[in-house]
Every structure is written in structure tokens, then in C-alpha cells.
Amino acid sequence: MNAGIDLQGTFIQSVKDLGIPAGVAKAIWMPLPMILMLIGATVGVLVATWLERKISAAVQQRIGPEYQGPFGLLVPVADGLKLIFKEDIVPAKADAWLFTLGPIIVVIPVFLSFLIVPFGENIVITNVGLGVFLWIALSSIQPIGLLMAGYASNNKYSLLGGLRAAAQSISYEIPLALSVLAIAMMSNSLSTIDIVNQQSHLGILGWNVWRQPLGFIIFWIAALAECERLPFDLPEAEEELVAGYQTEYAGMKFGLFYLGSYINLILSALLVAILYLGGWHLPIPVSLLGQWLGLSETSSILQVITAALGITMTVLKAYFLVFLAILIRWTVPRVRIDQLLDLGWKFLLPIGLVNLLLTAALKLAFPSVFGG
């Protein structure tokens, strides 16, 4: 059953109980999931930027922000307000239309990808049967915006940054897709809900990270490259390209690039948690949790506790991966562009193909363990 439809039906029925007509209730529901998604993603970005500052400070043995609110919690808000009110400049010789469209095309596919992300068993905007395929298709649109921004800026550094972004994306999307195909093969589905449910039987021992260790490593490396995080931030390498495709941008247009970068990082972390770390499921089976609490599996209290813990587990797993990404940024040096491309084409791609073939062979040999 579509989990999104369950939420929709519950909401509409609750509104109708207040005496509001069904048509009005449906009209109220239509924009609500998107608004909640935008708010949730924005709050996630604020938390990620604050973590970036505090973790980088800890890595470098300094304090980090502490005066703007308690523990510096208002620093991301101050950054956002600064970008909103900063002057928006378009270079005189830039292509104004493409220059404006570039950041928009970068951000919109990332936001749309949250449509298929389940935070709990019935907490997803839409359970698309081809959810993972939809995400891969949407992620391939983002480099077009980066290339458009680099070209439209009429700046040699911006153009080089856009070209690097396109080359990097093409190099790492194929290993990313191969690792996802191995997961889909074991789960017999491209739905994110089905993939998570397939990992629910044995607690932490049933998570795909144990059955797909190679796929997990490939996916995580490729995801960092797709997010352009160090050591893969070649499209905006400050020492080489000033700021790459962002060089000529200011104000809210630059803010969209900034927003898109962190939203993409959070999305990648959520997808790793969903595909490899059991999603909303706890490290122990629900039946065992029920035994500890003295509740039956059909108990409504246990279901409420499990739902609340499920959302918490999804967010904790995602932010643990965000923490790792930030730690990698501040501890690993940047690679050269030729090393980046060699890693994608000569190393990750062959290993991704071997992993896919090995998964197919193991599935035929051990269908009870690797799906069937």
C-alpha cells in the first residue's frame, strides 16, 4: 500500500471531521507535503552547517562559533539572512537567463528527490515503485545546472568549474547506479519502502551493509563525489579556480548553490541509511523490543514507540554519515582532477561491475540470504 496515501487519507478525514468539505480538505493537503519537505530540508541544512563549523573547529583544536545564540546555534540563521539581503549582481557580459536558471536547476532536483525518502514506515510523501531509479534520474539533472552556471558567467574559472562538475558527475554516476542495482537485485524492488522492509528481519544483522560491503563503500565514495565534498571538490577548488562555477555569483543565487550542496549531502546520507543501514528499523528486532518492554507486537503503545524510534533512528543514522563526511573534509587532502577521474573510471566502475555480477551469482546460489 502506498504509505503516502495512508497519510493523505488520515489528514483529509481529520479535516472533514471538523466540518470542512472534502474538496477543500484535498486542496489543503496538496501543497502541505511539499511545504513540510521544504521546511524539513531547510532545517536539516541549518543543522548540517552548524555541525560543519563545530566539528571543523574540534578537528583543528579551536572553539568555533559560540556567541550567536547558545553554542553558536544561530550562526546558520545569520548566514542565511546575510545571503538573502546581500546585493544580487549579474555580470555585464554574462548570459542573464542562463545565469539565473543555473542555481535553480541545481536545487530543484535535490528537493524533488526527498519525495521518495521514507523517514518511517508510513512517513513518506510518495512510495514510488521506481523510487531509486527516479532519484538517479533526478541526480543526473544537477550537473546541467552547474555547467549552465559556469558557461553563463563568461568567466574562464567558472567555465572550468562547470566542465569539471559535468565530468565528475558522469564519472561517478555509473558506479553509484551499479551499487544501487545490486541492492535492487537483492530486494527485488526499486521502492525505498520495500528495500528498508527487506532489512527488517534480523535487526542489525539483516542490514544490507553486511551483504553489500563493496557496494556500500562504492556508494559512499560516489555520493561524496556527487556532493563535491572534499577530497572531491575539484569543481570549486579555491586554490585553482577561485570558486569554480560559483565565482561570479552573489546574494541569493550563491545561497541556492550553498543550500543545494548541503541538501545533497543530507539526501545522500539519508539514502545510505535507507539502502544499507536499515532505514527506520532499530538495531534489534521489534519483537525483542516488545519482550523487553512487556508489550505484544500488536500493541498500539509499542507501535507508537516504534514509530517515534524509527524517525529518530533514520535521522541519527543520516547525521552520523554527515559527521563522517565533515570529518573526511577536514582530514583528507584534495585529489587532483586526473586522480579523481581515474578513481571513477579505472577503479570504482570495474569494482562496481564485479560487485553486481557477484551479487547475481550469490543470489542464485544462496537465495535465502541474498533474496530470491
Side-chain angles (χ1 to χ4, degrees):
M1 180 180 289
N2 190 324
I5 291 177
D6 291 338
L7 288 176
Q8 178 182 349
T10 304
F11 176 84
I12 291 174
Q13 186 59 46
S14 301
V15 175
K16 285 169 64 179
D17 291 342
L18 297 175
I20 298 174
V24 177
K26 290 180 180 178
I28 294 173
W29 165 261
M30 287 177 64
L32 189 59
M34 298 300 293
I35 293 171
L36 291 175
M37 181 188 70
L38 290 172
I39 293 172
T42 304
V43 171
V45 168
L46 294 178
V47 174
T49 54
W50 178 79
L51 284 174
E52 181 94 61
R53 292 174 183 272
K54 296 300 283 188
I55 294 170
S56 63
V59 169
Q60 298 170 351
Q61 295 184 340
R62 53 187 176 84
I63 297 173
E66 59 177 350
Y67 296 111
Q68 294 87 350
F71 306 105
L73 285 171
L74 295 180
V75 168
V77 178
D79 288 342
L81 291 174
K82 179 188 73 174
L83 291 172
I84 289 172
F85 291 106
K86 196 172 182 181
E87 183 181 2
D88 186 8
I89 299 171
V90 178
K93 295 186 178 181
D95 188 319
W97 279 101
L98 296 182
F99 189 82
T100 303
L101 282 174
I104 298 172
I105 293 176
V106 167
V107 170
I108 288 178
V110 187
F111 271 118
L112 290 177
S113 298
F114 276 91
L115 293 171
I116 56 111
V117 175
F119 290 87
E121 191 165 4
N122 292 314
I123 305 174
V124 61
I125 295 178
T126 177
N127 182 16
V128 182
L130 298 175
V132 177
F133 180 78
L134 175 63
W135 167 65
I136 293 174
L138 287 171
S139 67
S140 65
I141 298 174
Q142 191 179 22
I144 298 174
L146 300 177
L147 188 58
M148 188 183 296
Y151 169 78
S153 297
N154 195 26
N155 179 300
K156 59 183 178 182
Y157 299 114
S158 299
L159 179 60
L160 283 172
L163 291 172
R164 281 187 175 187
Q168 182 169 319
S169 178
I170 293 170
S171 300
Y172 285 86
E173 272 183 3
I174 301 174
L176 195 72
L178 290 174
S179 60
V180 171
L181 281 175
I183 292 291
M185 185 182 295
M186 289 198 310
S187 306
N188 295 319
S189 175
L190 287 168
S191 166
T192 50
I193 297 286
D194 294 342
I195 290 172
V196 174
N197 284 329
Q198 187 259 347
Q199 304 174 65
S200 64
H201 304 298
L202 300 173
I204 192 172
L205 297 177
W207 293 357
N208 284 333
V209 66
W210 309 117
R211 293 180 292 178
Q212 282 288 310
L214 273 179
F216 172 75
I217 295 170
I218 293 168
F219 188 97
W220 183 234
I221 293 174
L224 290 178
E226 287 283 307
C227 297
E228 297 172 11
R229 299 282 302 182
L230 266 166
F232 305 116
D233 68 333
L234 274 301
E236 49 184 288
E238 294 88 350
E239 295 86 348
E240 303 172 33
L241 304 179
V242 187
Y245 53 82
Q246 304 176 24
T247 300
E248 299 292 347
Y249 282 90
M252 202 54 216
K253 291 190 181 73
F254 175 81
L256 287 177
F257 281 125
Y258 190 76
L259 183 68
S261 172
Y262 278 97
I263 291 178
N264 205 6
L265 175 62
I266 294 170
L267 174 67
S268 298
L270 284 168
L271 287 169
V272 173
I274 289 162
L275 297 177
Y276 294 96
L277 302 179
W280 64 81
H281 290 295
L282 305 176
I284 59 173
V286 176
S287 57
L288 186 57
L289 178 65
Q291 290 177 11
W292 287 356
L293 297 176
L295 300 170
S296 65
E297 291 189 45
T298 58
S299 169
S300 58
I301 298 176
L302 180 62
Q303 291 176 2
V304 171
I305 293 173
T306 304
L309 289 175
I311 299 171
T312 305
M313 287 303 302
T314 304
V315 174
L316 284 178
K317 290 172 185 176
Y319 272 99
F320 172 72
L321 292 162
V322 170
F323 167 76
L324 289 181
I326 295 171
L327 202 61
I328 289 170
R329 173 181 178 179
W330 294 100
T331 53
V332 179
R334 178 186 296 123
V335 299
R336 298 194 313 266
I337 184 65
D338 60 309
Q339 293 173 331
L340 179 139
L341 296 176
D342 284 347
L343 177 65
W345 289 109
K346 297 181 180 180
F347 188 75
L348 292 184
L349 179 59
I351 290 181
L353 286 169
V354 169
N355 180 64
L356 185 62
L357 294 173
L358 187 61
T359 302
L362 290 172
K363 181 175 179 178
L364 291 173
F366 307 101
S368 60
V369 178
F370 290 88

